[in-house]
Amino acid sequence: MMRLPVTALAAASLALLLVLLTLHAVRLRGRYRMPFGDGGHLPLKMAIRAHANLIEYMPIGLTLLALLEGSGAPRALLAPLALVFVLARLIHAFGLQREGERIGPLRSTGILATVAVLTVLALWLVARVVV
């Protein structure tokens, strides 16, 4: 029996997103013949940033989810937050690819939702520890 199913599903979803972002960056590296850096190619630069940005936020989000779920937080409350976190990361990555260097509605929505979920999870965890 899976002990942390919400965290497991979020981790699996984010891992698949990471694989897609990796393959996209690798494809663009091949197209532009750039094994390192971005060579000034905006699509490659955005692909690299989308990949890196997911790597930056994924560990803390999954850690907070796992700590809360492991401490007995209700899955009915945790699951929607996990879903929003995964969707926020997806929207942000898509926004980086579509909106380039400008901060458009997809990137803004993705990062605002990410920060909101992380804030809620962190405060919830603090409350569970303190109370």
Side-chain angles (χ1 to χ4, degrees), residues 1-10 65-84 121 124 128:
M1 178 180 167
M2 176 63 60
R3 295 190 186 240
L4 302 174
V6 172
T7 303
L9 286 173
L65 286 169
L67 288 169
L68 283 162
E69 191 171 13
S71 73
R75 289 185 186 147
L77 297 177
L78 199 57
L81 288 168
L83 178 62
V84 171
L121 292 173
W124 189 5
R128 288 187 72 82

Side-chain angles (χ1 to χ4, degrees), residues 17 20 34 42-43 50-51 62 66 75 82 89 98-99 109 117-118 124 131:
L17 177 57
L20 291 175
M34 295 297 308
L42 185 59
H51 181 266
L62 291 175
R75 289 185 186 147
R89 296 290 73 219
R98 295 285 182 211
E99 298 167 350
T109 300
V117 169
L118 291 178
W124 189 5
V131 173

